[in-house]
Amino acid sequence: MSSPHAAVPLAQRVEELLATEGPLPIVTAGDPVLRSAAAPFTGQLEPALLARFVEALRVTMRAAPGVGVAAPQVGVALRIAVVEDPAPVPDEVREARGRVPLPFRVLVNPSYEPVGDRRAAFFEGCLSVPGWQAVVDRAAEVRLRCEDEHGRAVDEVFAGWPARIVQHETDHLDGTLYLDRAEPRSLSSNEAVAARWAQPTPRRAAEALGFELP
């Protein structure tokens, strides 16, 4: 069975979503829109509608709260995502995870590739998989290619936590959830992470739950 909004034209779908003010509803795991490659953006939304949609994604991300939202997470199968992270974390977390501020930006038709062989594994969550986190081993540095919301080309290298955010949100546009890349034995409720595994790195979790870190 297809998603109930699969046959609705994208512009119409976006107009319907924007008819109500406030954050957009987040689609959760199990909806087919999260498991299909999103269509490249080729002007399906005229500029004014695109700007309204981008603003709605920003409002939704901040309200959740989260550090990124991809269009499929609100039921729109387009290769568009927004990211932003003020990184309000202690110095030890910033140092261990490379979590530095990431200003708001729009990613249109993004793709990424690893830069070097260095890897990093940390607990990661997702607005579309509420209540759970798991350790994901990702490239520590990536090269992002995309366009911004004005059609300007972006070719930039990201490291640390910003690199993780870029990978996570771009994966959404390919129909990939973070759980597909996660260490299954690390899967933990948000409550368990807060109570047991809130250290800057997941080393203690790996020892206790029985999985290896890179």
Side-chain angles (χ1 to χ4, degrees):
M1 181 180 294
S2 63
S3 177
H5 47 70
V8 177
L10 285 168
Q12 180 182 337
R13 171 65 180 157
V14 171
E15 288 282 11
E16 291 173 352
L17 284 171
L18 300 182
T20 302
E21 293 186 4
L24 304 177
I26 298 288
V27 172
T28 54
D31 191 309
V33 72
L34 295 174
R35 288 311 198 173
S36 301
F41 179 74
T42 56
Q44 294 93 329
L45 311 180
E46 54 89 22
L49 181 56
L50 175 62
R52 289 169 56 209
F53 182 52
V54 164
E55 179 59 24
L57 290 176
R58 187 205 306 242
V59 168
T60 302
M61 173 180 63
R62 290 178 173 176
V67 295
V69 169
Q73 291 183 274
V74 297
V76 177
L78 278 177
R79 292 189 71 83
I80 298 173
V82 299
V83 296
E84 181 183 47
D85 184 13
V89 296
D91 289 342
E92 62 175 345
V93 173
R94 178 174 289 109
E95 182 176 350
R97 303 180 187 175
R99 189 170 177 186
V100 295
L102 175 62
F104 177 79
R105 60 197 306 159
V106 182
L107 314 181
V108 178
N109 298 330
S111 63
Y112 67 82
E113 61 185 29
V115 175
D117 299 326
R118 194 162 58 91
R119 310 286 298 181
F122 293 101
F123 274 102
E124 195 170 308
C126 179
L127 298 177
S128 291
V129 189
W132 299 92
Q133 297 182 48
V135 173
V136 184
D137 173 16
R138 293 192 184 272
E141 191 171 3
V142 296
R143 182 178 184 181
L144 171 74
R145 293 185 177 90
C146 66
E147 297 175 349
D148 67 12
E149 66 272 37
H150 305 294
R152 295 177 295 218
V154 174
D155 187 341
E156 189 172 344
V157 173
F158 291 81
W161 210 258
R164 181 168 297 269
I165 295 170
V166 163
Q167 292 172 80
H168 181 114
E169 298 307 329
T170 302
D171 281 356
H172 270 302
L173 305 178
D174 295 325
T176 299
L177 294 178
Y178 85 99
L179 290 174
D180 301 330
R181 303 187 185 278
E183 164 53 58
R185 294 185 69 94
S186 71
L187 185 64
S188 304
S189 67
N190 286 346
E191 293 79 11
V193 172
R196 296 173 178 271
W197 315 128
Q199 302 84 21
T201 75
R203 188 162 306 281
R204 283 176 55 184
E207 293 171 353
L209 299 177
F211 63 90
E212 295 184 1
L213 294 175

